[in-house]
Amino acid sequence: MAVHNIFRVKALFKNLFLALVLPLLIIILWQIASDRGLIKPSIFASPETITVSFDQMVEKGSYFKHVTASLGRVIYGYIIGSMLGLVLGSLAVLFKTFGKMVDPLIGILRPIPAIACIPFFILWLGIGEASKIGVIVIGAFWPVLLNTMQGIRSADPKLLELAKAFGKTRKIMLCKIILPSAVPAIFTGLRLGISGAWTCVVAAEMIAASAGVGYLISYGRELAQPGTLFVGIISIAIIGLIIDILVIKIQKKTLYWVDQED
Amino acid sequence: MAINVKNVQKFFIINGRKIEVLHDINFSIGDGQIISIVGTSGCGKSTLLKVIAGLEQSTSGSVELNGKKIDHPSEKDIGVIFQEPRLLPWSSVEKNIEFGISQTLSKSEKKKIIREHVDLVGLTGFEKALPKQLSGGMQQRVSIARSLINRPNTLLLDEPFGALDAFTKINMQKEVLHIWEKEKTTLILVTHDIDEAIFMGDKIVVLSAKPGTVKKVISVELPRPRDRTSDDFARVRRLVYEQFFPKEELAVEYNI
């Protein structure tokens, strides 16, 4: 076992190293190009400037205010949006009549990007929290809804026939076959939903907000502070990555029966 | 349990065209007998089995179990073992076998019969394993245990060993015969393997294709356990082969 663990730790370090090589290289080249005056510091803040801006924001405490503001909205909107998607998606497949009623509606509404609804939400709900959360709800809703529907439809007909041969009731079929079959697709939906929610919060905050990562970016542009602007952009990337890693970890635990890549 | 298949006819509608899959099928199975149904692929043998299981309705004619018409699946009377194991991939061996239980039992009773059936199919130690961790043969044994756990009076087997390697297949055939001797279950075995049909069956129903009709019913009067290498076995084999291949063809093969 011990030997096995040593190999695993070694492999982990090797993978970490390989993953970091290119980002580090880009940062170094970026810094050199800034120092040599090859790129305009008033637009492309150098890594050094970005770090300084970041330090200042952390010191003032404003950085965490912005991040928690965005995260709070995402969590709020994501929970509402994904729950709605999950429930409506299940009902639309399990109850054929209901499904036939909502199918055309889904077809019409789905192509509208959540971001296109931001002005309408501001008009309707004002520039407070409600309008931002409304947009996130929509951003999370669609991927969860569509993947839930697809997942519930994907139950293996051979397993359903098996349940029939064993004289199982519809309720048992639902709990033991249809819902577990849908879990992998639902997870795909939840994963797309969280990234949709994260995109929406940034967009909504850029248009109307007084705090949040999106606000940070548009504030940086308005005051011509490229350092602040880049802190915002990089934060989006890193928080998005952390969320995705967390979701994948949960997915691996939940989908224990599916063969997954490491 | 005696089963009577009477004038069973079945049509499928494919691309708007009516296609006859089964034509006037008649045969009967006595209590505790083993019937092998053989035929080329696409002759409707699996459809026939599904009609007997109550999973499909015949267009006309009927299947009777002790004089009572079968028109829906009845897990207490008839168990089905499919061509594929059809295990729930998210459930352990134990849970998959438990899925077969249709009576209401207490937790400890359930536990007891599940353990008995795990032992019966030789999977002791694999109770907690997931289907993906088992070989094809082991998976099929789980599915057999799942069907046996209800102690159905009749067991329908739809090419249950088709996907197994030759050695596992022979062992599984012996295991099923073993269970049959113990439980005196009526067995209906659909297969395209002529040796298997003779090794297992008291009677062989030969189906011809397009539409599926009973071409011949051959009684196998060999003592059990049967010896695949015996002359008597070869004689029956020849009889069955003749139903599928013209005599000249066979003669050439045997002369070589």
Side-chain angles (χ1 to χ4, degrees), chain A residues 157-159 161-168 172 175-178 180-181 255-260, chain B residues 50 55 73-75 78 80 82 84 86-91 99-102 130 132 146-147 150:
Chain A
K158 287 186 168 171
L159 288 183
E161 190 186 52
L162 170 91
K164 218 173 128 192
F166 278 89
K168 300 293 178 193
I172 290 181
C175 298
K176 296 244 160 131
I177 295 172
I178 297 173
S181 306
L255 301 181
Y256 58 89
W257 71 87
V258 180
D259 282 317
Q260 292 172 78
Chain B
K50 280 182 187 171
L55 286 168
S74 153
E75 72 285 358
I78 296 183
V80 188
F82 294 97
E84 325 79 14
R86 301 199 188 184
L87 304 180
L88 307 178
W90 42 83
S91 297
F99 186 78
I101 300 176
S102 60
L130 288 174
K132 68 167 183 179
R146 177 181 60 193
S147 292
N150 279 329

XYZ file of all heavy atoms in Angstrom, chain A residues 157-159 161-168 172 175-178 180-181 255-260, chain B residues 50 55 73-75 78 80 82 84 86-91 99-102 130 132 146-147 150:
393
model
N -34.840 0.605 -22.344
C -36.103 -0.132 -22.509
C -35.992 -1.592 -22.062
O -36.980 -2.199 -21.643
C -36.405 -0.045 -24.001
C -35.259 0.629 -24.639
C -34.379 1.209 -23.594
N -34.776 -2.145 -22.135
C -34.602 -3.535 -21.705
C -34.778 -3.670 -20.201
O -35.304 -4.665 -19.708
C -33.220 -4.043 -22.111
C -33.149 -4.277 -23.602
C -31.860 -4.901 -24.021
C -31.984 -5.358 -25.455
N -30.711 -5.785 -26.004
N -34.327 -2.656 -19.448
C -34.536 -2.695 -17.991
C -36.006 -2.473 -17.659
O -36.534 -3.066 -16.721
C -33.666 -1.641 -17.298
C -32.165 -1.916 -17.245
C -31.444 -0.820 -16.474
C -31.874 -3.275 -16.622
N -38.495 -3.393 -19.531
C -39.170 -4.659 -19.840
C -38.935 -5.681 -18.721
O -39.831 -6.438 -18.349
C -38.654 -5.212 -21.166
C -39.465 -6.387 -21.675
C -38.869 -7.023 -22.908
O -37.666 -7.374 -22.892
O -39.590 -7.155 -23.902
N -37.708 -5.650 -18.195
C -37.385 -6.534 -17.072
C -38.331 -6.267 -15.897
O -38.900 -7.187 -15.312
C -35.935 -6.283 -16.636
C -35.512 -6.947 -15.326
C -34.937 -8.309 -15.604
C -34.524 -6.097 -14.560
N -38.499 -4.972 -15.575
C -39.380 -4.615 -14.459
C -40.799 -5.094 -14.725
O -41.488 -5.564 -13.822
C -39.356 -3.100 -14.249
N -41.211 -4.996 -15.985
C -42.544 -5.445 -16.359
C -42.665 -6.966 -16.171
O -43.653 -7.464 -15.612
C -42.779 -5.087 -17.837
C -44.188 -4.626 -18.141
C -44.259 -4.148 -19.575
C -45.396 -4.829 -20.296
N -45.350 -4.626 -21.754
N -41.632 -7.685 -16.614
C -41.645 -9.139 -16.475
C -41.701 -9.547 -15.008
O -42.235 -10.597 -14.672
C -40.409 -9.736 -17.147
N -41.130 -8.718 -14.135
C -41.162 -9.018 -12.715
C -42.386 -8.421 -12.029
O -42.462 -8.396 -10.800
C -39.886 -8.523 -12.021
C -38.737 -9.479 -12.177
C -37.877 -9.390 -13.253
C -38.541 -10.501 -11.258
C -36.836 -10.280 -13.409
C -37.498 -11.401 -11.411
C -36.649 -11.284 -12.491
N -43.325 -7.932 -12.832
C -44.582 -7.428 -12.292
C -44.433 -6.230 -11.377
O -45.206 -6.060 -10.440
N -43.412 -5.379 -11.637
C -43.187 -4.225 -10.763
C -44.183 -3.102 -11.080
O -44.577 -2.926 -12.235
C -41.762 -3.691 -10.939
C -40.677 -4.698 -10.601
C -40.662 -5.028 -9.125
C -39.587 -6.072 -8.822
N -39.735 -6.635 -7.490
N -42.280 1.689 -8.507
C -40.979 1.030 -8.331
C -40.114 1.229 -9.565
O -38.920 1.481 -9.483
C -41.182 -0.467 -8.004
C -41.770 -0.583 -6.608
C -39.875 -1.246 -8.106
C -41.999 -1.986 -6.128
N -38.644 4.707 -9.289
C -37.610 4.895 -8.271
C -36.366 4.055 -8.530
O -35.254 4.494 -8.268
C -38.149 4.552 -6.887
S -39.499 5.600 -6.407
N -36.577 2.825 -9.032
C -35.430 1.913 -9.128
C -34.766 1.929 -10.504
O -33.636 1.495 -10.639
C -35.884 0.483 -8.805
C -36.381 0.347 -7.384
C -35.508 -0.580 -6.587
C -35.678 -0.370 -5.117
N -35.884 -1.593 -4.384
N -35.486 2.375 -11.539
C -34.896 2.339 -12.877
C -34.857 3.715 -13.546
O -33.790 4.193 -13.923
C -35.633 1.320 -13.774
C -35.426 -0.089 -13.206
C -35.111 1.379 -15.203
C -36.230 -1.155 -13.854
N -36.008 4.359 -13.653
C -36.053 5.589 -14.454
C -35.205 6.702 -13.835
O -34.367 7.304 -14.519
C -37.519 6.044 -14.649
C -38.275 4.971 -15.451
C -37.581 7.377 -15.365
C -39.751 5.199 -15.576
N -32.690 6.580 -11.390
C -31.243 6.343 -11.407
C -30.640 6.456 -12.810
O -29.534 6.960 -12.961
C -31.101 4.911 -10.877
C -32.344 4.652 -10.112
C -33.418 5.468 -10.748
N -31.396 6.018 -13.837
C -30.880 6.127 -15.211
C -30.654 7.585 -15.589
O -29.806 7.890 -16.416
C -31.868 5.559 -16.223
O -32.226 4.262 -15.913
N -21.926 9.193 -9.051
C -22.064 8.264 -10.192
C -21.058 7.128 -10.063
O -20.287 6.871 -10.969
C -21.847 9.016 -11.509
C -22.791 10.178 -11.780
C -22.480 10.804 -13.129
C -24.236 9.718 -11.757
N -21.080 6.458 -8.910
C -20.084 5.421 -8.646
C -20.148 4.257 -9.626
O -19.197 3.533 -9.809
C -20.240 4.909 -7.215
C -21.617 4.344 -6.941
C -21.905 3.016 -7.180
C -22.636 5.169 -6.464
C -23.172 2.511 -6.957
C -23.908 4.680 -6.239
C -24.161 3.347 -6.494
O -25.419 2.862 -6.292
N -21.307 4.084 -10.291
C -21.440 2.922 -11.158
C -20.997 3.191 -12.590
O -20.936 2.299 -13.410
C -22.879 2.414 -11.155
C -23.852 3.307 -11.860
C -24.147 3.279 -13.201
C -24.656 4.346 -11.302
N -25.085 4.234 -13.490
C -25.409 4.906 -12.338
C -24.802 4.851 -10.006
C -26.307 5.955 -12.134
C -25.686 5.887 -9.811
C -26.419 6.430 -10.855
N -20.712 4.466 -12.876
C -20.307 4.801 -14.240
C -18.783 4.800 -14.295
O -18.133 5.319 -13.398
C -20.845 6.200 -14.629
C -20.442 6.554 -16.043
C -22.353 6.245 -14.474
N -18.219 4.204 -15.346
C -16.771 4.239 -15.507
C -16.361 5.656 -15.857
O -16.867 6.226 -16.819
C -16.333 3.281 -16.619
C -16.333 1.856 -16.121
O -15.875 1.636 -14.994
O -16.793 0.965 -16.859
N -15.463 6.216 -15.045
C -15.064 7.603 -15.301
C -13.566 7.717 -15.401
O -12.829 6.967 -14.791
C -15.579 8.493 -14.168
C -17.074 8.596 -14.171
C -17.601 9.309 -12.941
O -17.550 10.508 -12.856
N -18.066 8.542 -11.986
N -41.824 -14.111 -25.477
C -42.433 -12.923 -24.859
C -43.950 -13.061 -24.776
O -44.575 -12.573 -23.840
C -42.057 -11.664 -25.634
C -40.670 -11.183 -25.257
C -40.265 -9.919 -25.966
C -38.807 -9.622 -25.651
N -38.283 -8.535 -26.469
N -45.463 -10.672 -21.915
C -44.881 -9.355 -22.190
C -45.388 -8.788 -23.516
O -45.329 -7.604 -23.767
C -43.355 -9.437 -22.222
C -42.670 -9.580 -20.869
C -41.205 -9.947 -21.047
C -42.795 -8.299 -20.066
N -47.780 -10.158 -17.537
C -46.718 -10.866 -16.823
C -47.161 -11.256 -15.418
O -47.840 -10.490 -14.735
C -45.597 -9.825 -16.748
C -45.903 -8.817 -17.785
C -47.393 -8.797 -17.915
N -46.819 -12.470 -15.017
C -47.170 -12.907 -13.676
C -45.911 -13.444 -13.031
O -45.468 -14.546 -13.315
C -48.235 -13.995 -13.769
O -48.151 -14.839 -12.657
N -45.285 -12.602 -12.202
C -43.964 -12.929 -11.666
C -43.982 -14.147 -10.752
O -42.971 -14.780 -10.543
C -43.371 -11.703 -10.963
C -44.014 -11.311 -9.629
C -45.364 -10.632 -9.773
O -45.829 -10.416 -10.921
O -45.970 -10.323 -8.728
N -44.411 -17.247 -13.599
C -43.447 -17.349 -14.685
C -42.268 -16.423 -14.449
O -42.443 -15.228 -14.213
C -44.126 -17.000 -16.035
C -45.218 -18.035 -16.343
C -43.100 -16.951 -17.155
C -45.900 -17.841 -17.656
N -38.573 -14.980 -16.045
C -37.905 -14.842 -17.344
C -36.426 -14.573 -17.121
O -36.055 -13.749 -16.297
C -38.509 -13.675 -18.164
C -37.935 -13.677 -19.578
C -40.025 -13.769 -18.208
N -33.359 -13.322 -19.428
C -33.143 -12.754 -20.758
C -31.772 -13.104 -21.302
O -30.895 -13.585 -20.598
C -33.295 -11.229 -20.697
C -34.695 -10.773 -20.383
C -35.054 -10.441 -19.088
C -35.644 -10.683 -21.387
C -36.347 -10.016 -18.791
C -36.933 -10.263 -21.099
C -37.282 -9.930 -19.806
N -29.485 -11.011 -22.258
C -28.479 -10.207 -21.557
C -28.818 -10.252 -20.064
O -29.968 -10.455 -19.706
C -28.493 -8.752 -22.007
C -28.816 -8.498 -23.466
C -30.311 -8.572 -23.761
O -31.110 -8.566 -22.809
O -30.667 -8.668 -24.943
N -29.175 -7.914 -17.950
C -30.103 -6.835 -17.571
C -30.059 -6.537 -16.089
O -31.091 -6.548 -15.401
C -31.532 -7.160 -17.996
C -31.673 -7.366 -19.483
C -33.091 -7.236 -19.959
N -33.186 -7.628 -21.367
C -34.283 -7.558 -22.090
N -35.388 -7.109 -21.539
N -34.287 -7.915 -23.349
N -28.874 -6.310 -15.559
C -28.747 -5.945 -14.148
C -28.847 -4.439 -14.015
O -28.553 -3.712 -14.955
C -27.398 -6.429 -13.606
C -27.112 -7.919 -13.758
C -25.744 -8.251 -13.187
C -28.185 -8.756 -13.074
N -29.267 -3.985 -12.830
C -29.276 -2.556 -12.568
C -27.831 -2.146 -12.287
O -27.255 -2.607 -11.299
C -30.168 -2.234 -11.365
C -31.593 -2.793 -11.427
C -32.359 -2.437 -10.159
C -32.324 -2.275 -12.645
N -27.244 -1.317 -13.135
C -25.804 -1.049 -13.014
C -25.424 -0.332 -11.719
O -24.286 -0.381 -11.305
C -25.483 -0.174 -14.233
C -26.789 0.340 -14.737
C -27.839 -0.645 -14.304
N -26.390 0.363 -11.100
C -26.099 1.119 -9.875
C -26.329 0.271 -8.622
O -26.135 0.745 -7.515
C -26.968 2.372 -9.815
C -28.382 2.114 -10.237
C -29.374 1.610 -9.467
C -28.933 2.312 -11.536
N -30.506 1.468 -10.210
C -30.275 1.897 -11.482
C -28.411 2.797 -12.737
C -31.119 1.948 -12.593
C -29.253 2.850 -13.840
C -30.588 2.433 -13.757
N -26.753 -0.974 -8.777
C -27.040 -1.802 -7.609
C -26.048 -2.951 -7.491
O -25.599 -3.502 -8.492
C -28.453 -2.375 -7.707
O -29.401 -1.347 -7.698
N -34.071 -7.375 -6.175
C -35.041 -6.787 -7.111
C -36.041 -7.838 -7.603
O -37.177 -7.528 -7.934
C -34.309 -6.169 -8.307
C -35.196 -5.415 -9.244
C -35.631 -4.137 -8.936
C -35.602 -5.978 -10.451
C -36.457 -3.433 -9.795
C -36.429 -5.281 -11.328
C -36.852 -3.998 -10.991
N -35.606 -9.109 -7.627
C -36.488 -10.159 -8.109
C -37.598 -10.530 -7.139
O -38.624 -11.060 -7.542
N -37.394 -10.252 -5.850
C -38.377 -10.689 -4.842
C -39.709 -9.988 -5.042
O -39.759 -8.768 -5.143
C -37.861 -10.398 -3.414
C -36.544 -11.146 -3.176
C -38.903 -10.816 -2.369
C -35.900 -10.840 -1.838
N -40.785 -10.776 -5.126
C -42.087 -10.130 -5.308
C -43.011 -10.323 -4.105
O -43.977 -9.596 -3.953
C -42.761 -10.646 -6.578
O -42.951 -12.030 -6.486
N -20.413 -4.495 -7.763
C -21.293 -3.893 -8.766
C -21.197 -4.693 -10.053
O -20.164 -5.315 -10.324
C -20.850 -2.449 -9.047
C -21.127 -1.420 -7.968
C -20.494 -0.086 -8.357
C -22.619 -1.230 -7.760
N -20.503 -3.933 -13.016
C -19.348 -3.639 -13.881
C -18.071 -4.322 -13.394
O -17.101 -4.421 -14.127
C -19.138 -2.130 -14.011
C -18.684 -1.444 -12.743
C -18.191 -0.016 -13.029
C -17.684 0.619 -11.759
N -17.164 1.967 -11.947
N -31.729 -13.905 -9.603
C -32.821 -12.945 -9.464
C -34.154 -13.556 -9.915
O -35.202 -13.287 -9.336
C -32.491 -11.696 -10.298
C -33.566 -10.642 -10.310
C -33.175 -9.472 -11.166
N -32.936 -9.884 -12.553
C -32.340 -9.119 -13.452
N -31.901 -7.926 -13.134
N -32.168 -9.555 -14.697
N -34.100 -14.394 -10.972
C -35.339 -15.015 -11.448
C -35.758 -16.198 -10.583
O -36.941 -16.480 -10.442
C -35.174 -15.481 -12.889
O -35.044 -14.381 -13.733
N -38.015 -16.046 -6.747
C -39.474 -16.132 -6.569
C -39.981 -17.566 -6.619
O -41.172 -17.791 -6.466
C -40.178 -15.359 -7.680
C -40.213 -13.894 -7.389
O -40.268 -13.506 -6.237
N -40.173 -13.098 -8.433
